[in-house]
Amino acid sequence: MSRRALRRLRGEQRGQEPLGPDALKFVLLDDDDAEEEGPKPGLGGRRPGGAGKEGVRVNNRFELINTEDLEDDLVVNGERSDCTLPDSVSSGNKGRAKHGNAETKQDGGATKAGSSEQENGLEDIDRILERIEDSSGFSHPGPPPLSSRKHVLYVEHRHLNPDTELKRYFGARAVLGEQRPRQRQRVYPKCTWLTTPKSTWPRYSKPGLSMRLLESKKGLSFFAFDHNEEYQQAQHKFLVAVESMEPNNIVVLLQTSPYHVDSLLQLSDACRFQEDQEMARDLIERALYSMECAFHPLFSLTSGTCRLDYRRPENRSFYLTLYKQMSFLEKRGCPRTALEYCKLILSLEPDEDPLCMLLLIDHLALRARNYEYLIRLFQEWEAHRNLSQLPNFAFSVPLAYFLLSQQTDLPEHELSSARQQASLLIQQALTMFPGVLMPLLEYCSVRPDATVSNHRFFGPDAEISQPPALGQLVSLYLGRSHFLWKEPAIMSWLEENVHEVLQAVDAGDPAVEACENRRKVLYQRAPRNIHRHVILSEIKEAVAALPSDVTTQSVMGFDPLPPLDTIYSYVRPERLSPVSHGNTIALFFRSLLPNYTTEGERLEEGVAGGPNRNQGLNRLMLAVRDMMANFHFNDLEVPREDNPEGEGDWD
């Protein structure tokens, strides 16, 4: 195993290794010293076989920039490793230290000895790595333990790449086999974390999108995307194209502005509705690449301290692009990568949570089998966010505890503790949200026994009596996560705790009445960010439960339910209404055919069209033909004279 592979396994970046007090020594030789020592070393000033030496001898210290193996001993956690090299290596080093001139005469033997020494050294590195994993508790693959002190919303770069997750499933050769030849021909200006540019995309040129730092306070940095004048003009044309309700107009706009983000988002939705998932995903990735190229140098995806205000329309495009990319990753079978995107969206504005990612993060954590992370998030945020009052967290956290108790690689006392905690939390969830049980069993095609179905606490009244806002949250959770409960072991555990709750209800437990009063007070009306999340989720059961004042609004895919306190940095210029300057014939045809526009209007709006003067007349003739084709004349039936009274049988 090479040092580069060792650093990669340990999660370290090059140049970030912990150094001990004597880990690195640079001994610069004068000319006199060099003559006393004998012939000068080879290229780079390094003496061969320096594995057991105190320092590295160099003539030109700048040559050390491209030298990798400067460290002679493996440094672990600030201390030198106590492993010893084989005797042949140590004796060889001593001999070379004493007889420097003899080394140059035996190059052939030194090469063979060096290769065997390197193999032995790599074997020692493997053994050291195993001891490090055993002592650190990382011997089992998977998410970090609960003792990890990283921020709960800390994002790892390597988990933002879906290829990292796919390699675990199918192997690196199957995932990267076809990508390596194309990467050599890539001519894009920078490397990005969120997506990989494709050779099929239009050549990237700055579309006029940038990011600026607004302020920094209390350890947080507040950023905002900016549109220059050129991008603003493209944005105005995009809004006109959206109002035309014609996707081809957006295609025409993308021909001149191929990296306009809102156009890519809207066209992606149109492709998705037409079942062209591949093109829809490709457009989202292009939008993501466009926005990442505009990042401020201080903007960090992983720190969890960078903020973007959702009230600014320029920032919303980044939120929605990340959300749509996360949805595609989940459907693609990459829940671990989707979880990292979810954490990233939540970290941009965790207090307001404009897309309400707390309604989704538990589902992705369970799908990714990252139970420890879900438990840690619940433990750290329950005190100030009341996560247990959300039905998804109330049921997902005990499920995570139960699934954790089913793992065989944990100590017995931890398994028992997790099982007890799971039972306690699921009983609290059933007491707080009794209307979840019967729909959940119906989703899972499980028929409950008569004791449960006939009891008043879990009967039909439990689902009917819950407030509409709570019913919407329940529908959202069940429509998204019901399949996680279908395993027989989970159903048996759920059945045991349902009977425990019924015994507590029959015994008159005061917690039952307290939960009922809490339900009536807390869930009066869902906030706007929950409605926005339901619209983006496209879960039919939850969308059907939206209130009428939301469903009657016009919802745009590039900006669903914008905040009421939007902060505008520029305003769209007012356009003259077509009614004010249109002629009588044009107004007549527009009243019959709303899509009809004259050539002058099309040129003014910049949607499409050319300088051909005959196009307006041609469009007018096509409109007349369409209008005449829609007219149907039905002959009036005249009553027959032989039956003027209309008598006869009724058909």
Side-chain angles (χ1 to χ4, degrees):
M1 180 184 296
S2 64
R3 290 181 181 272
R4 183 179 301 173
L6 176 63
R7 286 194 301 265
R8 191 174 298 171
L9 284 175
R10 291 171 55 189
E12 296 177 354
Q13 297 291 336
R14 184 173 176 183
Q16 296 181 354
E17 299 86 349
L19 298 178
D22 296 327
L24 216 56
K25 288 186 177 180
F26 303 141
V27 181
L28 303 179
L29 296 179
D30 297 329
D31 294 338
D32 298 336
D33 296 336
E35 294 177 359
E36 294 178 1
E37 289 290 331
K40 294 183 180 181
L43 180 62
R46 296 191 60 197
R47 301 183 62 180
K53 301 199 55 72
E54 292 293 331
V56 180
R57 297 179 179 273
V58 296
N59 287 334
N60 183 3
R61 73 187 76 185
F62 293 100
E63 294 175 355
L64 295 173
I65 295 176
N66 296 324
T67 304
E68 286 192 3
D69 299 331
L70 291 176
E71 293 177 293
D72 296 321
D73 296 332
L74 181 63
V75 180
V76 179
N77 295 331
E79 299 180 358
R80 289 185 179 273
S81 172
D82 57 353
C83 69
T84 58
L85 294 175
D87 295 337
S88 60
V89 180
S90 58
S91 61
N93 291 335
K94 293 179 181 178
R96 281 188 294 273
K98 294 180 180 179
H99 307 285
N101 296 331
E103 292 178 0
T104 59
K105 300 178 181 179
Q106 301 177 356
D107 291 338
T111 303
K112 296 180 181 179
S115 61
S116 61
E117 292 166 3
Q118 185 178 6
E119 293 177 359
N120 293 332
L122 293 178
E123 292 178 0
D124 292 335
I125 290 175
D126 290 335
R127 289 196 292 269
I128 293 170
L129 184 59
E130 292 178 0
R131 289 200 296 269
I132 292 173
E133 292 175 348
D134 293 338
S135 61
S136 302
F138 288 100
S139 57
H140 305 289
L146 293 177
S147 59
S148 176
R149 290 296 90 201
K150 292 180 180 178
H151 192 269
V152 71
L153 296 180
Y154 176 80
V155 178
E156 298 184 48
H157 274 144
R158 63 190 181 96
H159 287 307
L160 289 173
N161 187 358
D163 291 340
T164 304
E165 187 170 3
L166 293 175
K167 287 176 191 176
R168 289 199 325 230
Y169 301 149
F170 308 108
R173 181 173 299 179
V175 175
L176 300 178
E178 299 179 356
Q179 297 182 7
R180 289 171 182 168
R182 291 201 300 262
Q183 287 180 354
R184 297 194 192 101
Q185 302 174 0
R186 194 173 63 186
V187 293
Y188 291 90
K190 61 183 295 187
C191 180
T192 53
W193 291 106
L194 296 176
T195 186
T196 303
K198 299 179 181 179
S199 59
T200 57
W201 291 355
R203 185 175 182 85
Y204 178 79
S205 60
K206 292 185 178 180
L209 185 65
S210 61
M211 178 184 283
R212 60 190 173 96
L213 176 63
L214 299 179
E215 60 176 344
S216 297
K217 60 181 181 180
K218 298 181 180 180
L220 302 177
S221 300
F222 296 86
F223 296 87
F225 282 96
D226 262 351
H227 297 170
N228 66 2
E229 185 176 354
E230 179 184 358
Y231 198 94
Q232 292 179 17
Q233 295 297 328
Q235 187 72 12
H236 300 329
K237 295 178 182 179
F238 163 73
L239 296 176
V240 173
V242 170
E243 292 175 355
S244 69
M245 305 297 291
E246 180 59 47
N248 291 332
N249 292 335
I250 301 178
V251 175
V252 173
L253 176 60
L254 285 175
Q255 292 176 357
T256 58
S257 303
Y259 287 92
H260 183 258
V261 178
D262 285 348
S263 298
L264 293 170
L265 289 176
Q266 193 72 14
L267 189 59
S268 174
D269 287 343
C271 293
R272 188 165 51 85
F273 294 150
Q274 296 176 2
E275 304 298 331
D276 191 354
Q277 301 294 332
E278 187 67 25
M279 178 59 71
R281 184 169 67 246
D282 185 79
L283 293 171
I284 292 298
E285 291 179 357
R286 201 202 301 183
L288 206 56
Y289 178 76
S290 176
M291 303 205 77
E292 188 172 2
C293 289
F295 280 175
H296 191 277
L298 299 180
F299 185 80
S300 172
L301 295 172
T302 61
S303 64
T305 59
C306 296
R307 300 289 184 265
L308 286 174
D309 194 346
Y310 191 80
R311 294 176 299 175
R312 297 181 178 272
E314 298 87 351
N315 295 342
R316 295 176 202 160
S317 301
F318 187 54
Y319 278 90
L320 297 172
T321 306
L322 289 175
Y323 186 94
K324 293 178 185 296
Q325 175 71 351
M326 177 195 65
S327 301
F328 281 123
L329 290 171
E330 183 187 5
K331 296 176 182 177
R332 190 181 175 187
C334 301
R336 182 64 184 86
T337 311
L339 174 62
E340 215 67 18
Y341 272 81
C342 184
K343 290 160 56 177
L344 173 58
I345 298 173
L346 185 58
S347 68
L348 295 177
E349 200 169 2
D351 295 333
E352 299 296 331
D353 194 9
L355 299 187
C356 215
M357 303 310 295
L358 287 178
L359 298 178
L360 176 62
I361 193 169
D362 61 297
H363 170 77
L364 295 176
L366 290 175
R367 283 203 59 191
R369 300 182 181 180
N370 202 341
Y371 311 130
E372 293 89 348
Y373 174 77
L374 177 57
I375 294 172
R376 180 190 172 192
L377 176 64
F378 179 77
Q379 291 174 348
E380 294 187 9
W381 282 26
E382 168 62 16
H384 66 283
R385 298 296 291 268
N386 293 324
L387 297 182
S388 60
Q389 305 305 311
L390 295 174
N392 58 308
F393 267 93
F395 283 86
S396 294
V397 173
L399 181 58
Y401 272 111
F402 175 78
L403 294 174
L404 198 63
S405 68
Q406 301 298 302
Q407 298 183 359
T408 58
D409 54 353
L410 295 178
E412 186 62 30
H413 68 279
E414 293 186 11
L415 297 178
S416 177
S417 175
R419 181 66 179 260
Q420 294 178 2
Q421 189 70 12
S423 299
L424 175 63
L425 292 178
I426 193 61
Q427 291 176 19
Q428 295 177 357
L430 290 170
T431 305
M432 183 66 189
F433 306 105
V436 175
L437 179 63
M438 299 306 292
L440 176 61
L441 297 179
E442 184 178 355
Y443 271 110
C444 299
S445 302
V446 175
R447 187 175 182 180
D449 55 17
T451 306
V452 177
S453 58
N454 296 332
H455 200 281
R456 58 177 179 82
F457 189 71
F458 290 120
D461 292 340
E463 185 177 359
I464 297 174
S465 61
Q466 61 187 3
L470 177 57
Q472 184 177 349
L473 294 176
V474 171
S475 300
L476 181 68
Y477 173 68
L478 294 178
R480 174 180 284 153
S481 304
H482 66 273
F483 63 91
L484 299 174
W485 294 80
K486 288 187 175 182
E487 295 184 10
I490 297 177
M491 276 297 164
S492 300
W493 164 71
L494 179 62
E495 182 181 5
E496 296 174 3
N497 289 278
V498 166
H499 288 290
E500 291 290 336
V501 172
L502 288 180
Q503 292 179 6
V505 172
D506 295 337
D509 191 344
V512 177
E513 184 178 358
C515 290
E516 183 179 359
N517 295 332
R518 203 180 312 157
R519 286 195 301 271
K520 297 178 180 179
V521 174
L522 294 179
Y523 306 98
Q524 296 294 330
R525 178 176 173 81
R528 195 173 181 84
N529 60 340
I530 292 182
H531 294 158
R532 188 181 298 120
H533 178 89
V534 170
I535 293 174
L536 290 173
S537 68
E538 298 181 355
I539 297 177
K540 295 183 294 184
E541 296 83 359
V543 173
L546 285 172
S548 58
D549 59 338
V550 176
T551 56
T552 54
Q553 297 182 23
S554 59
V555 178
M556 297 297 180
F558 67 94
D559 190 9
L561 293 183
L564 301 178
D565 53 349
T566 297
I567 301 176
Y568 293 102
S569 58
Y570 62 92
V571 182
R572 178 185 178 186
E574 296 183 0
R575 294 189 305 122
L576 294 177
S577 174
V579 178
S580 61
H581 63 278
N583 55 49
T584 306
I585 299 178
L587 295 179
F588 170 71
F589 285 109
R590 186 178 291 109
S591 64
L592 298 176
L593 303 171
N595 290 333
Y596 170 76
T597 55
T598 62
E599 181 61 25
E601 295 170 4
R602 293 172 61 84
L603 289 175
E604 179 184 355
E605 294 170 355
V607 177
N612 190 357
R613 299 179 180 179
N614 295 327
Q615 287 187 358
L617 181 59
N618 293 335
R619 289 181 55 83
L620 180 61
M621 296 302 298
L622 290 175
V624 173
R625 292 189 185 125
D626 292 340
M627 180 187 67
M628 298 302 296
N630 292 329
F631 282 178
H632 299 282
F633 298 95
N634 297 324
D635 295 334
L636 297 177
E637 296 184 358
V638 181
R640 291 176 297 179
E641 296 181 358
D642 55 349
N643 191 9
E645 302 295 333
E647 297 177 357
D649 296 334
W650 287 67
D651 294 333

